[in-house]
């Protein structure tokens, strides 16, 4: 089946080729080792920065690639197709960098974006707390103003890039205003920062190479000038405006994972024999894979439609929620059915389909649980 995303062009083909060669050479051989050490190598970030793969959609005057979300999407698709579930690329480039690009003061952009683009800094955003989950208005991490500084106290959990992060956006309560009105986004340069500590590496059932930690702030002081955008109390609004792109990025990864799962299952069914014939000769196998291919194709075209809307500045929160919820739901279902084609081998971690199965489970949770996505969609009915 020949299909080309309508937003693709020759420049994006070149980005895809660069990303594919880089990931095949520098990511694929290390997946097992990364899973054992619970993180990728820190030098991998620098290597990606050297090739211009980080912050590809940020303005060139701040060290970025000057591209669009489409440039981010092709990197994420190639990451999914090489089976890399460890590199938190989208957190760094598609999420964190865009908070600075969208809301940072001129000084903040010039100070931090080039370092993110080069890989000198690894970015992370600390939203989730042990007792809040998807409820950002319930954040308890508190920042008290003390002269020209904020004194930050609190704890965060499930923080992607928590081990490697040099630049951390913290969702904190800076006033006693109720709900989201008292929230601000504070930026911390974490290297040798007193009061900042990294907790335990969190053991996950899948995506084991992904860098995920608890973070703690104990009387941690950061300059008052590090309020993102320079104005307090804007944190909740900033978060809400950026979430559609975050959720679309999750859908992009899910769509590519669906396609890869079908490709792996088809290849295995052609090679594996049972009762004197290959598995693809059995009607049940053919029908299962035909259904999976069809559903993966449908998800691909819907996600492509959403990418097109986003490139035109027309993607709304509800549609992004639809893409995130539907693509990740189908990701779990399609990978599960494709794993069944492998039989017992599908349960072995040495097979990529097994790692894809466990890695897929979290996609229905992060970026806003799919139940939250349905609530956001329902509000527009």
């Amino acid at each position: 089946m020949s299909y080309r995303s309508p937003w693709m062009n020759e420049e994006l083909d070149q980005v895809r080729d660069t990303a594919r060669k880089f990931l095949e050479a520098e990511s694929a051989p290390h997946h097992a080792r990364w899973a054992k050490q619970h993180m990728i190598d820190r030098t991998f970030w620098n290597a990606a920065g050297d090739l211009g793969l980080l912050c590809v959609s940020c303005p060139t005057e701040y060290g970025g690639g000057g591209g669009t979300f489409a440039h981010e999407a092709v990197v994420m698709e190639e990451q999914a197709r090489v089976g890399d579930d460890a590199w938190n690329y989208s957190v760094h480039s598609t999420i964190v960098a865009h908070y600075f690009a969208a809301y940072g003061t001129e000084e903040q952009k010039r100070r931090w974006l080039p370092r993110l683009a080069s890989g000198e800094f690894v970015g992370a955003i600390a939203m989730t707390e042990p007792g809040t989950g998807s409820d950002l208005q319930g954040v308890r991490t508190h920042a008290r103003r003390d002269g020209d500084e904020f004194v930050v106290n609190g704890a965060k959990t499930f923080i992607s890039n928590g081990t490697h992060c040099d630049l951390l956006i913290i969702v904190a309560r800076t006033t006693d205003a109720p709900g989201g009105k008292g929230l601000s986004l504070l930026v911390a340069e974490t290297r040798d920062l007193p009061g900042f500590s990294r907790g335990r590496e969190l053991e996950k059932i899948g995506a084991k190479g992904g860098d995920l930690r608890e973070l703690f702030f104990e009387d941690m002081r950061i300059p008052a000038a590090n309020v993102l955008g320079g104005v307090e109390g804007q944190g909740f609004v900033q978060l809400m405006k950026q979430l559609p792109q975050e959720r679309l990025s999750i859908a992009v990864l899910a769509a590519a994972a669906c396609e890869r799962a079908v490709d792996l299952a088809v290849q295995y069914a052609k090679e594996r024999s049972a009762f004197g014939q290959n598995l693809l000769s059995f009607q049940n196998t053919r029908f299962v894979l035909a259904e999976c291919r069809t559903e993966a194709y449908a998800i691909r075209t819907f996600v492509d439609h959403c990418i097109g809307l986003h490139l035109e500045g027309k993607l709304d929160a509800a549609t992004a929620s639809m893409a995130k919820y539907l693509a990740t739901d189908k990701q779990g279902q399609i990978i599960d059915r494709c794993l069944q084609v492998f039989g017992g081998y599908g349960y072995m971690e040495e097979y990529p389909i097994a790692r894809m199965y466990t890695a897929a489970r979290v996609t229905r949770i992060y970026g806003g649980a799919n139940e939250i996505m349905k609530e956001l969609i329902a509000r527009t009915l």
Side-chain angles (χ1 to χ4, degrees):
M1 182 181 296
S2 178
Y3 171 79
R4 180 174 172 84
S5 298
W7 44 267
M8 283 294 297
N9 56 39
E10 290 185 4
E11 179 184 339
L12 292 169
D13 287 334
Q14 294 174 359
V15 175
R16 185 184 298 283
D17 184 63
T18 299
R20 179 172 297 178
K21 290 177 179 177
F22 172 71
L23 290 164
E24 287 177 349
E26 304 298 334
S27 169
H30 306 295
H31 293 172
R33 180 170 59 82
W34 287 350
K36 290 181 180 179
Q37 67 188 29
H38 301 294
M39 69 188 80
I40 68 172
D41 301 325
R42 177 61 180 84
T43 54
F44 187 85
W45 290 102
N46 304 94
D50 290 343
L51 275 180
L53 291 176
L54 300 180
C55 304
V56 289
S57 65
C58 290
T60 55
E61 58 264 40
Y62 305 117
T68 67
F69 179 81
H71 293 71
E72 307 274 3
V74 296
V75 178
M76 288 186 279
E77 288 176 351
E78 291 308 311
Q79 181 185 358
R81 286 171 182 151
V82 80
D84 182 348
D85 57 21
W87 186 28
N88 292 316
Y89 170 84
S90 63
V91 173
H92 176 100
S93 282
T94 315
I95 299 173
V96 171
H98 281 274
Y99 277 94
F100 294 109
Y103 308 119
T105 64
E106 186 66 19
E107 190 278 333
Q108 289 172 343
K109 292 176 184 178
R110 295 195 178 280
R111 179 179 179 184
W112 289 319
L113 277 174
R115 290 170 163 177
L116 290 171
S118 69
E120 176 188 349
F121 277 1
V122 174
I125 183 165
M127 297 187 200
T128 306
E129 297 181 356
T132 60
S134 297
D135 181 16
L136 292 176
Q137 297 189 52
V139 164
R140 295 182 180 180
T141 295
H142 189 272
R144 173 178 55 84
R145 185 70 178 260
D146 183 20
D148 292 332
E149 295 180 317
F150 277 105
V151 182
V152 185
N153 284 279
K156 300 289 184 178
T157 192
F158 306 142
I159 307 306
S160 298
N161 292 338
T163 300
H164 285 155
C165 70
D166 311 283
L167 195 65
L168 179 67
I169 299 175
I170 304 166
V171 182
R173 192 165 296 283
T174 53
T175 74
D176 294 329
K181 295 180 180 179
L183 298 181
S184 300
L185 301 185
L186 307 179
V187 185
E189 295 185 29
T190 63
R191 293 179 183 173
D192 302 316
L193 180 61
F196 171 76
S197 61
R198 307 176 203 264
R200 63 192 175 96
E201 296 174 350
L202 299 175
E203 296 281 351
K204 309 179 295 297
I205 64 171
K208 294 181 179 180
D211 173 0
L212 196 74
R213 273 190 185 264
E214 300 170 319
L215 301 178
F216 300 99
F217 321 115
E218 186 175 358
D219 291 333
M220 184 183 78
R221 289 180 174 269
I222 60 174
N226 284 21
V227 176
L228 186 63
V231 179
E232 292 180 48
Q234 297 300 304
F236 190 73
V237 173
Q238 293 167 339
L239 289 164
M240 292 303 103
K241 288 182 178 179
Q242 288 298 303
L243 281 173
Q245 176 160 299
E246 176 181 347
R247 288 163 180 163
L248 179 57
S249 70
I250 296 171
V252 168
L253 287 163
C258 290
E259 293 169 335
R260 181 170 188 260
V262 178
D263 288 343
L264 289 172
V266 169
Q267 180 182 355
Y268 184 82
K270 289 178 178 179
E271 297 172 351
R272 177 72 172 176
S273 295
F275 303 104
Q277 55 186 324
N278 65 42
L279 294 182
L280 200 60
S281 300
F282 293 95
Q283 185 184 68
N284 182 70
T285 305
R286 295 200 307 275
F287 281 13
V288 165
L289 292 178
E291 291 166 1
C292 289
R293 178 71 81 189
T294 303
E295 292 179 355
Y297 187 38
I299 293 299
R300 160 60 54 201
T301 55
F302 179 42
V303 170
D304 278 345
H305 171 68
C306 291
I307 292 173
L309 289 176
H310 191 41
L311 294 175
E312 296 174 2
K314 297 178 181 179
L315 181 67
D316 58 42
T319 306
S321 298
M322 292 177 191
K324 191 271 181 186
Y325 127 68
L326 185 61
T328 56
D329 262 19
K330 285 299 177 184
Q331 178 185 8
Q333 294 167 14
I334 289 172
I335 292 175
D336 179 79
R337 300 187 77 191
C338 288
L339 185 150
Q340 189 72 15
V341 173
F342 285 77
Y345 291 105
Y347 201 65
M348 300 296 107
E349 284 197 352
E350 64 190 88
Y351 279 74
I353 195 70
R355 298 192 297 273
M356 291 176 69
Y357 178 80
T358 53
R361 187 59 186 88
V362 74
T363 63
R364 285 175 270 168
I365 298 172
Y366 63 32
N370 281 4
E371 290 75 15
I372 301 295
M373 299 301 98
K374 293 174 187 178
E375 177 61 30
L376 294 173
I377 297 164
R379 291 176 185 177
T380 67
L381 299 180

